[in-house]
Amino acid sequence: MKLKICGMNHNPEEVATLKPDYLGFIFWEPSSRYFSGEMPVLPNSIKKVGVVVDTPLEEVLEKVAQYQLDAVQLHGQESAEYCVELKDCFLSFRAQSRNQKKLDENGVSTPLDLTDTEIIKVFSIKDDFDFDVLKDYEGVCDYFLFDTKGKLPGGNGYTFDWSVLEKYPSNKPYFLSGGIGLDSVEKLQAFLESPASNYCFAIDVNSKFEKAPGLKNIDELNQFIESLKSGYNKKKNL
């Protein structure tokens, strides 16, 4: 089970010491977690995700190149056609930017290649969800992400009814998001033991682990990670 910690802003280097699989940086200006600073050099094992909301393709490509993003999370009303265009842009970007370089955590320069940039498409759930809307996105997105429908696109701090995912008809791996915190551990472990979690690829956390918007609580994150590991090991030894 992978872990994504989203809403990075004030202490991403500190969060990176916990070795999550993904760190999310929000590029939607109305967000209180909007990221506009200098991207820290992070371990190659951590994928940097840029969160965008109905953003023009050109701006998305600029963010990906500027911040050397490994994935883009589409948190708006982006169509399947938009996703196709974005994927095509990633494939053609390599030929257009042969002279662009990226640096790893050791300062080593390598060519910037966007062909492997992942696309994560977000779908918001309240009480129920029409899974038929996923069909057009199946072949053009790498992952789905299910979040709680709220006033804002993400970071609302509320959990939707995960039992809805018992009806999940796809084999596309997905991220589980929406109001997950320390108080969710027992419920989360029960969910991960249920058939509804068969294609759950990653857990996505954000606002429940903050001292302030964009400032993550390292102690609580560490406690959450250790609790998940403990639950996983217990299940494995049964």
Side-chain angles (χ1 to χ4, degrees):
M1 183 60 56
K2 306 293 184 182
L3 176 65
K4 173 173 171 279
I5 303 174
C6 201
M8 291 295 100
N9 201 327
H10 300 296
N11 57 341
E13 296 100 326
E14 195 176 12
V15 175
T17 64
L18 300 176
K19 300 180 180 180
D21 301 282
Y22 293 83
L23 287 181
F25 298 83
I26 297 174
F27 298 110
W28 185 60
E29 290 194 25
S31 172
S32 58
R33 301 171 184 88
Y34 176 68
F35 183 84
S36 61
E38 183 176 345
M39 180 67 69
V41 178
L42 300 171
N44 285 334
S45 60
I46 299 177
K47 292 186 177 182
K48 300 188 292 291
V49 182
V51 181
V52 297
V53 180
D54 299 318
T55 304
L57 290 171
E58 295 78 10
E59 291 184 29
V60 174
L61 290 174
E62 288 174 5
K63 295 296 184 186
V64 173
Q66 178 182 356
Y67 292 107
Q68 302 172 12
L69 302 176
D70 301 289
V72 173
Q73 179 174 314
L74 306 176
H75 221 304
Q77 302 300 314
E78 298 88 359
S79 66
E81 290 76 18
Y82 176 99
C83 296
V84 170
E85 288 186 58
L86 183 58
K87 180 66 77 174
D88 288 344
C89 287
F90 288 154
L91 293 173
S92 63
F93 186 89
R94 186 177 187 181
Q96 300 170 10
S97 53
R98 292 172 181 168
N99 295 325
Q100 287 198 269
K101 305 287 183 179
K102 65 178 179 179
L103 297 177
D104 64 18
E105 66 267 31
N106 298 314
V108 177
S109 176
T110 57
L112 181 62
D113 184 0
L114 303 189
T115 55
D116 294 326
T117 307
E118 298 171 346
I119 296 178
I120 305 168
K121 181 67 185 85
V122 178
F123 297 92
S124 297
I125 297 176
K126 189 176 182 181
D127 300 318
D128 203 355
F129 184 71
D130 179 9
F131 287 102
D132 285 342
V133 304
L134 303 179
K135 292 179 181 178
D136 291 339
Y137 294 87
E138 285 275 352
V140 294
C141 297
D142 297 282
Y143 303 99
F144 296 141
L145 185 152
F146 296 111
D147 197 2
T148 307
K149 183 176 288 186
K151 293 181 179 180
L152 298 174
N156 292 289
Y158 299 102
T159 304
F160 68 91
D161 183 0
W162 297 340
S163 67
V164 171
L165 295 173
E166 292 174 1
K167 303 175 185 177
Y168 186 61
S170 174
N171 59 6
K172 178 73 65 178
Y174 67 82
F175 288 63
L176 180 67
S177 186
I180 298 174
L182 278 176
D183 58 351
S184 308
V185 170
E186 187 174 337
K187 178 184 175 183
L188 185 57
Q189 289 174 343
F191 172 77
L192 295 177
E193 293 174 2
S194 73
S197 72
N198 286 347
Y199 293 99
C200 184
F201 172 76
I203 304 301
D204 183 6
V205 300
N206 187 352
S207 61
K208 288 285 189 174
F209 292 95
E210 291 186 325
K211 298 178 179 179
L215 178 62
K216 303 307 179 187
N217 188 315
I218 302 301
D219 291 339
E220 291 187 356
L221 278 170
N222 188 57
Q223 186 179 341
F224 179 74
I225 292 169
E226 291 303 316
S227 296
L228 287 182
K229 285 181 180 178
S230 176
Y232 174 77
N233 290 333
K234 180 179 179 180
K235 177 182 176 183
K236 188 170 65 173
N237 292 328
L238 289 177

